[in-house]
Amino acid sequence: MTRPDHSSLNVGSVPSSERPGLGLALGGGFARGFAHLGVLQVLEQNRIPISYIAGTSVGSILGAAYASGAPLARIIATCRTLRFRDIARWRVSRLGLASNHRLGDLIEQVFESRRFEDLRIPMAVVATDLANGEPVVFTHGNLCEAIRASCAFPGLFEPVQIGTRYLADGGLVAQVPTCAARELGATHVIGVSVGVEDGQRGAPTNIFQVVCRAVSAAQKHQLEIWEHHADLVLRPDVQSLSWDDFDRADEAIEAGAAAARRALPRMQKMLNPPQDSHLEFKARLEAEAQSYLWLSEASR
């Protein structure tokens, strides 16, 4: 097995007290999610270390690969040749059209760790409990099963059973898992949203487009929730890419890199605030947290 590239800025081995507290929340979006790799590229190039990662769907795959210590160049090289058949097998059943068991082979090929406890960067993977519609956040145990659950897009993939629960795509409850990143301990959270839209206009032409658009419509009403937990949101321009445009990985990666480069001044200001504004920033975070709790109670 190839060992990690230690020039990478994965900082999982750094004591938590020395970390800058930057959390990266990577959303779902199938092939569009390759844009996350462009964001990671820019962060590495500018020596901005990541202390925590949370991922939903494709964000959980790429985020966990990076958190495991796998060199970013190797992750990108793998994604450039990745196709839908490499992660899925058509198997029509009452619960879905395909199985994503093949994700296990991808994890074996690319990842440096197989369990959350062995990751170099603390990681959270979000899935959805189909029994109650609540998020299930994995931070310990088997990585493969958690990622498969987070990637089980309804209508396409069969749900993944873990214990007594049947789990589906985390994007149903956390399009961009900023809350999970915050709960890991991140002081600053950058959310990366690539959307789940099918990239087409006009009437849907197949059942997958119908499901994608329905999920996208529901997610638009969650924006205020996940954006509330983000200090900065990146939206790479990937709207021209369809969910299955795996052969356009380089376009998605460049879109992610471009979005990150545009946001660099804001990132650097956020991570290195003037000393006299530190207390004001902390007070603002605490006030927003209290406001969010009040709104949650009022909406019950």
Side-chain angles (χ1 to χ4, degrees):
M1 178 181 295
T2 305
R3 300 313 305 162
D5 176 1
H6 293 289
S7 64
S8 168
L9 289 177
N10 292 1
V11 295
S13 58
V14 178
S16 60
S17 61
E18 298 176 16
R19 294 179 191 162
L22 175 62
L24 197 59
L26 306 178
F30 289 91
R32 291 178 171 188
F34 291 145
H36 297 320
L37 299 174
V39 173
L40 289 168
Q41 268 187 330
V42 171
L43 294 179
E44 279 204 355
Q45 289 165 358
N46 289 273
R47 305 196 63 78
I48 299 175
I50 302 164
S51 299
Y52 309 94
I53 301 177
T56 286
S57 198
V58 66
S60 73
I61 302 174
L62 302 178
Y66 190 75
S68 77
L72 185 56
R74 187 169 82 202
I75 301 172
I76 290 174
T78 301
C79 289
R80 282 177 173 146
T81 62
L82 192 69
R83 298 296 181 265
F84 182 72
R85 63 178 176 273
D86 297 321
I87 60 174
R89 179 169 64 87
W90 295 110
R91 187 178 73 178
V92 178
S93 73
R94 292 181 300 168
L95 300 179
L97 300 177
S99 164
N100 64 10
H101 271 94
R102 289 179 178 173
L103 269 175
D105 297 332
L106 179 66
I107 290 171
E108 286 292 328
Q109 176 187 352
V110 179
F111 287 30
E112 292 289 338
S113 308
R114 308 292 180 268
R115 297 184 62 80
F116 283 91
E117 293 85 350
D118 299 326
L119 295 173
R120 293 184 65 194
I121 301 175
M123 174 84 192
V125 171
V126 182
T128 303
D129 189 333
L130 290 178
N132 56 23
E134 294 295 321
V136 177
V137 181
F138 294 93
T139 56
H140 297 85
N142 184 285
L143 266 173
C144 182
E145 292 304 297
I147 291 171
R148 285 188 56 234
S150 184
C151 294
F153 193 80
L156 176 61
F157 291 120
E158 299 166 333
V160 174
Q161 183 178 4
I162 298 180
T164 59
R165 294 193 267 199
Y166 283 86
L167 306 176
D169 196 293
L172 298 174
V173 291
Q175 179 185 357
V176 181
T178 52
C179 182
R182 187 76 71 186
E183 289 176 348
L184 281 174
T187 303
H188 309 289
V189 175
I190 298 176
V192 186
S193 174
V194 295
V196 74
E197 298 92 343
D198 56 38
Q200 305 295 324
R201 296 294 181 264
T205 59
N206 57 61
I207 187 172
F208 188 71
Q209 288 185 0
V210 171
V211 175
C212 270
R213 295 184 189 188
V215 170
S216 178
Q219 287 179 339
K220 288 180 180 178
H221 298 284
Q222 299 178 10
L223 285 178
E224 290 185 5
I225 298 174
W226 70 259
E227 286 185 347
H228 173 85
H229 293 280
D231 298 291
L232 178 63
V233 176
L234 305 184
R235 289 188 171 86
D237 184 9
V238 289
Q239 299 310 303
S240 65
L241 274 65
S242 294
W243 70 274
D244 57 349
D245 278 336
F246 291 93
D247 58 342
R248 298 173 66 183
D250 282 330
E251 293 178 54
I253 292 169
E254 176 51 36
R261 284 193 293 265
R262 288 193 298 269
L264 265 176
R266 293 183 62 191
M267 289 187 209
Q268 292 164 341
K269 183 177 180 180
M270 177 180 70
L271 296 173
N272 301 287
Q275 191 63 34
D276 58 358
S277 67
H278 177 73
L279 293 178
E280 292 180 11
F281 181 78
K282 184 178 180 181
R284 178 174 66 83
L285 286 181
E286 292 175 350
E288 288 179 353
Q290 289 299 321
S291 175
Y292 181 71
L293 289 172
W294 183 86
L295 287 172
S296 297
E297 290 294 332
S299 62
R300 288 183 178 178

